[in-house]
Amino acid sequence: MTDTATLSLAKQLLAIESVTPKDAGCMEVMGARLKALGFKLEIMQFGEVTNLWARRGETSPVLCFAGHTDVVPTGPIESWQFPPFEPTEHNGMLYGRGAADMKGSIACWLVALEEFIATNPNHEGSIALLITSDEEGPAKDGTVRVIETLESRGEKIDWCIVGEPSSTHKVGDIIKNGRRGSLNAKVSIHGVQGHVAYPHLVTNPIHMLAPALAELTSTKWDEGNDYFPPTSFQVSNFNAGTGATNVVAGTADLLWNFRFSTQVSDQQLINWTEDILHRHQVKFSIDWNTSGQPFLTEPGALVEACQKSILANTGYATELSTSGGTSDGRFIAPTGAQVVELGPRNNTIHQLNECVSINDLESLTGIYHGVLVELLGD
């Protein structure tokens, strides 16, 4: 049986070994098809990172698809059922690194574009793509740099679909219409090392921290809201000690993280946390890093277009959610754009034997096409 247009393109992209931060030629494949559709292409190179900004049309509103061609490392190749960069069909699934995260989504969007432009050559507004090879890595020279460039020249995105794998049980069952913020801390607690048998000569940093940590883990930082759960605090690493049973550590080192809602700011969390540590007389040094601010797209034109298309293509209603980690949507939303994440199921992303349902790829192509028609159809 001949592959569909979506499946054929997905296989072509999956065969390219584009481990972050390498694009390795994916954007050349995309660019050739986009150029044939009348898109103007602009490659933005920052360091090792390749970014593509492609646009068709000069007027607003601008509907943008944001995605990434880089993939996470494969892990032990011998543990894969099929070679990770040899796309393989098996039992209705397409296997390969990046199948779900997110070359499958890119293939769906490109084919939906081709079908849409064929029947809507004079569509309303503009269509754009913002594609990076730096989403799975540090995310310093990717989408954030492209957005800075667009903002500097007054080029605005009105609606943005991020093709991240947002679905859970079936394609389109969940739209991410926001994400929690992420605030990280690298913490050192300063004590005095010594022999456990002479407690009057030591200051145990673990004991010093314990009451404050108990308060940090039990504090209710906010109530959340209709779209966000309450802010959470988690310690991910805790290291102290020399390995000997008779030596009190001189320092204790921790990593912790807040996933926070739009009810609080990162600065409020920083202030409250340090107040707790000071109140418990903890001697500490701390390095804070906000890797993403929370954002929310309330129901409006973009959300409603996605909901309508999902219902028309699948027969079921979708759910709005802000759960999960961060995405490049965090760089786009602050510009004022409406942003949603809509892509395939996420049950195998970053795993061995990553795969996506071939039927889901066809459904997602139809969903994307429906959104294009709803928002920009002529």
Side-chain angles (χ1 to χ4, degrees), residues 183-239:
L183 172 63
N184 304 288
K186 183 177 181 180
V187 189
S188 290
I189 309 302
H190 306 296
V192 176
Q193 181 177 316
H195 198 294
V196 295
Y198 299 89
H200 60 290
L201 299 178
V202 304
T203 302
N204 192 315
I206 301 172
H207 294 184
M208 186 194 311
L209 176 64
L213 188 59
E215 183 172 345
L216 288 168
T217 57
S218 62
T219 295
K220 194 165 188 177
W221 307 96
D222 60 51
E223 300 290 338
N225 55 37
D226 290 343
Y227 295 100
F228 288 92
T231 293
S232 67
F233 168 86
Q234 289 292 321
V235 175
S236 59
N237 288 260
F238 194 146
N239 299 293

Side-chain angles (χ1 to χ4, degrees), residues 15-92:
I16 299 172
E17 193 169 340
S18 55
V19 177
T20 191
K22 296 179 181 178
D23 169 74
C26 293
M27 293 181 198
E28 291 182 16
V29 172
M30 299 170 60
R33 297 176 78 128
L34 290 168
K35 194 171 182 179
L37 294 173
F39 280 80
K40 294 180 180 179
L41 310 181
E42 184 177 357
I43 293 293
M44 299 185 190
Q45 189 77 33
F46 299 106
E48 295 183 282
V49 177
T50 305
N51 303 287
L52 171 65
W53 173 249
R55 178 166 175 167
R56 186 182 198 270
E58 301 293 337
T59 61
S60 59
V62 178
L63 171 59
C64 176
F65 177 88
H68 60 92
T69 56
D70 60 319
V71 299
V72 295
T74 63
I77 292 177
E78 64 275 10
S79 298
W80 282 68
Q81 184 177 1
F82 308 106
F85 295 107
E86 294 179 19
T88 304
E89 293 181 58
H90 180 68
N91 291 338

Side-chain angles (χ1 to χ4, degrees), residues 5-6 32 35 42 71 76 88 102 111 140 198 204 231 239 246 249 282 314 320 337-338 351-352:
T6 300
K35 194 171 182 179
E42 184 177 357
V71 299
T88 304
M102 56 171 285
V111 173
K140 301 294 186 183
Y198 299 89
N204 192 315
T231 293
N239 299 293
N246 61 351
V282 178
T314 67
L320 301 180
Q338 295 179 35
Q351 296 182 13
L352 299 175

